[in-house]
Amino acid sequence: MLEHFFSEEYLKSYYLNNIRYKINIGVDRIDRKTFEKKILDHIKVINRKVLDGSYKFTRYKGVMFPKRPDTNPRTVAISTIRDKIVLSILKEILATQVPHNNQELVQTTISDIKKSIKTGKYNAIIKIDIKNFFPSIDHGILLKKLKESNIDERIVKVIHRAITGEIFFDGFIDSTYKEGCKGVPQGLPISNILAEIYLYDFDQKYSRIQTNKYFRYVDDILVLCDEVNLNGLLRNMEKELETNYLLNIHKISDGKTTKGLLKDGFEFLGYKYDGSIYSVREATVHKLEKSIERIFLEHRKKDFSNIKYFIWELNLKITGAIMESPRKNSYDLPIKKKYGWVFFFSQIDDKKLLFKLDAFITKMINRFGLSNKIKKGVDVKKFVRTYHEVLYNRYDTEYIPNFSSYTLEQKTYILDEVFEKNTKEMKSDEIDYWFDNLIFKSIKSLEEDVQDFS
């Protein structure tokens, strides 16, 4: 299997189909164009060193993302392009060879929670937040689970090197993972699946208890149960996490771990339930409004000179987008990935919030003096309409762009009119290249709107 996944042919194909447009520059400062000039050399190195067991990872580039004022920033490790190929393929191998819970989409998890609450079987809830989850994953426990799955020993060794790499920040080097015996750097392609493998047995145990309904999303756990079991269940879960997984949870006094009655409501994964209506927590709404305002502020710097690009960027923020993955599902059909705020929060039933967001956009248009440049109800799209399309038309909608279905003519128009690229002398493959490149950058900003929601 290792020989197949790390063959030169597979490595090149995987890079072109899965990684090419999703690149962040690592500490070696090699960008995509530079990498692709010597892509065959890089692939030969990966092939030879992974198969003979000598592959080593370059130091990661560290980036800090601020969360709330009262919490430490989230540290993300960015690998070089070459390392990202290795890590991504390791993820593919782990996904097929090692028992783990497939992480559902947030909206799917919320949908399942809603259905469970609707049964009326539960009247209480426990919400657990694991403290410093990724930095606390014990290497000994994790590697033991990998070895027990009987995967190739070379894979285990490469993964061990991956999670013990140094992280370079401006001015200092963090050797915490290298010198310690615990922690998985966040942001790597294998980070999430390793976390799923680590807690697989815990998830299985509590999912089997018939009197409760168990959900976990990364470091957030939610259990629907009966009020009489509330305290005992919380104690048992806390003790097991500490004893068997060396993980600690936030105390109730911290406000992150909570317990109570369902009728009093709860917040989970950015959603807010008040006992009857599902909405979005205020801090998350505020984050979206600030990102919309940034679009207006950035374009004001150029006096809104490219009004088509401004409207296109604003509409993308409202509707999100659909993209087809190169991979296929079990029915041999392409997987359609959905990006954007409304897709993420498609399980809300608080339509007043959507009207409020549309009113906010109108307010911004008036505030920046764009009423004469923009045709109301024509140029700028609506959150309310987007929500309707997501719920009822899904992939058949023409209101939400599906960039995978764009023709060469449509791509050319977007490049010429929106991004102001001159495509007259471009060949079709160059048009495809620039379109995909710019679209993936735009989609990246959509993902930022729904990150750090916990």
Side-chain angles (χ1 to χ4, degrees), residues 138-399:
D138 183 81
H139 291 175
I141 296 173
L142 176 61
L143 295 175
K144 182 183 177 184
K145 290 179 181 294
L146 293 176
K147 290 174 182 176
E148 287 173 349
S149 66
N150 294 319
I151 60 172
D152 194 307
E153 196 172 308
R154 289 172 292 179
I155 295 173
V156 179
K157 286 181 179 178
V158 175
I159 290 173
H160 190 210
R161 289 189 188 127
I163 63 176
T164 53
E166 293 181 329
I167 303 178
F168 175 78
F169 293 92
D170 288 338
F172 74 96
I173 295 171
D174 182 359
S175 301
T176 304
Y177 300 104
K178 182 178 182 180
E179 297 170 356
C181 58
K182 65 179 184 178
V184 171
Q186 286 181 258
L188 303 180
I190 58 169
S191 299
N192 284 349
I193 195 167
L194 290 178
E196 293 307 304
I197 291 168
Y198 193 75
L199 282 181
Y200 176 73
D201 293 332
F202 183 86
D203 293 337
Q204 290 296 103
K205 176 179 178 178
Y206 284 95
S207 294
R208 291 192 191 106
I209 300 175
Q210 298 297 315
T211 54
N212 308 324
K213 191 68 177 176
Y214 172 91
F215 302 91
R216 181 177 64 82
Y217 194 88
V218 191
D219 57 354
D220 289 313
I221 297 171
L222 185 141
V223 185
L224 302 175
C225 61
D226 192 281
E227 184 184 4
V228 296
N229 300 326
L230 207 57
N231 294 323
L233 183 59
L234 178 56
R235 279 196 303 269
N236 290 341
M237 295 178 78
E238 180 178 13
K239 183 178 179 181
E240 185 161 353
L241 285 168
E242 289 177 354
T243 305
N244 297 344
Y245 302 90
L246 306 183
L247 297 172
N248 296 310
I249 70 171
H250 285 278
K251 303 299 181 184
I252 288 180
S253 57
D254 297 337
K256 290 188 175 182
T257 293
T258 59
K259 62 177 182 176
L261 298 177
L262 263 178
K263 65 179 184 180
D264 296 327
F266 62 88
E267 290 184 357
F268 192 60
L269 306 181
Y271 281 78
K272 179 176 69 175
Y273 175 65
D274 67 1
S276 60
I277 291 176
Y278 293 87
S279 188
V280 183
R281 70 176 194 169
E282 291 180 14
T284 306
V285 175
H286 181 67
K287 180 179 179 181
L288 173 65
E289 290 175 341
K290 293 298 289 184
S291 72
I292 291 170
E293 185 180 27
R294 277 196 298 274
I295 293 175
F296 282 83
L297 291 171
E298 287 298 316
H299 283 270
R300 186 174 66 177
K301 291 177 183 177
K302 298 179 181 179
D303 198 29
F304 295 94
S305 56
N306 187 347
I307 196 69
K308 287 183 180 179
Y309 178 42
F310 165 73
I311 292 172
W312 185 86
E313 191 175 12
L314 181 60
N315 281 337
L316 190 62
K317 184 72 69 172
I318 295 167
T319 65
I322 300 168
M323 287 286 285
E324 286 183 3
S325 168
R327 302 174 196 166
K328 293 186 178 182
N329 60 21
S330 56
Y331 300 101
D332 201 34
L333 296 171
I335 298 170
K336 294 183 179 180
K337 292 191 174 183
K338 300 166 284 188
Y339 302 90
W341 200 88
V342 177
F343 277 121
F344 189 92
F345 290 107
S346 59
Q347 291 302 312
I348 67 171
D349 44 32
D350 181 8
K351 292 186 179 179
K352 288 183 180 179
L353 171 61
L354 301 171
F355 282 107
K356 178 185 171 186
L357 288 171
D358 285 331
F360 175 79
I361 297 244
T362 300
K363 178 183 174 183
M364 288 291 103
I365 290 171
N366 292 332
R367 172 183 156 188
F368 286 86
L370 296 171
S371 298
N372 294 330
K373 289 186 176 183
I374 294 175
K375 299 174 185 175
K376 291 182 180 178
V378 178
D379 292 331
V380 178
K381 296 190 177 182
K382 300 282 187 181
F383 279 98
V384 173
R385 170 75 184 276
T386 300
Y387 176 78
H388 183 276
E389 295 291 324
V390 167
L391 254 59
Y392 302 109
N393 292 330
R394 296 183 181 271
Y395 300 116
D396 295 327
T397 178
E398 294 182 3
Y399 195 73

